[in-house]
Amino acid sequence: TQNNLISYKISPIEKDGKPALNVFMEFDANPSGETVVIFQDKAWGEENLHNTLSNLRSEHASEIIQEKDSQCVILKHDPDLKKIRFSYILQQDTQGEIST
């Protein structure tokens, strides 16, 4: 069986004078050469959540495709890759302090 373990590191930062989060994750790469990260564009009564993402990066992906309508981010990479690292900045899109 495959564990599909995902490791996260989330750090608070400031981007353009607003609170943001730097999100770094590492997980198993899909042997097809295309790994899909689910990211909803509409959730919890909010819309256009993909607009809060920036600086999508991966040292292993040859291409990163943000598919707002499909509710995901697609990472294209070498099919022989075992683990993939992916990071992005999640920018607060409301006024005021970040709350929990």
Side-chain angles (χ1 to χ4, degrees):
T1 64
Q2 190 175 16
N3 290 336
N4 290 327
L5 182 67
I6 300 174
S7 299
Y8 284 94
K9 180 180 178 185
I10 301 172
S11 307
I13 61 169
E14 191 171 292
K15 182 178 180 235
D16 301 327
K18 291 185 177 182
L21 296 173
N22 188 33
V23 179
F24 171 84
M25 58 180 79
E26 182 178 56
F27 43 85
D28 291 341
N30 189 311
S32 71
E34 199 170 277
T35 299
V36 177
V37 179
I38 303 299
F39 192 91
Q40 301 294 325
D41 192 49
K42 295 179 184 179
W44 311 289
E46 299 291 328
E47 294 184 5
N48 300 313
L49 294 173
H50 271 254
N51 294 346
T52 65
L53 299 179
S54 64
N55 292 30
L56 284 73
R57 298 174 189 242
S58 174
E59 60 190 69
H60 302 111
S62 58
E63 187 176 2
I64 299 173
I65 304 166
Q66 194 172 351
E67 289 281 346
K68 184 176 180 176
D69 292 337
S70 298
Q71 313 278 327
C72 67
V73 175
I74 300 168
L75 306 171
K76 294 190 176 190
H77 53 80
D78 184 326
D80 294 327
L81 185 67
K82 300 298 179 203
K83 293 276 188 187
I84 192 162
R85 293 182 184 131
F86 174 56
S87 65
Y88 58 89
I89 293 176
L90 181 63
Q91 179 74 51
Q92 181 172 332
D93 64 347
T94 59
Q95 298 298 320
E97 298 288 320
I98 291 180
S99 61
T100 55

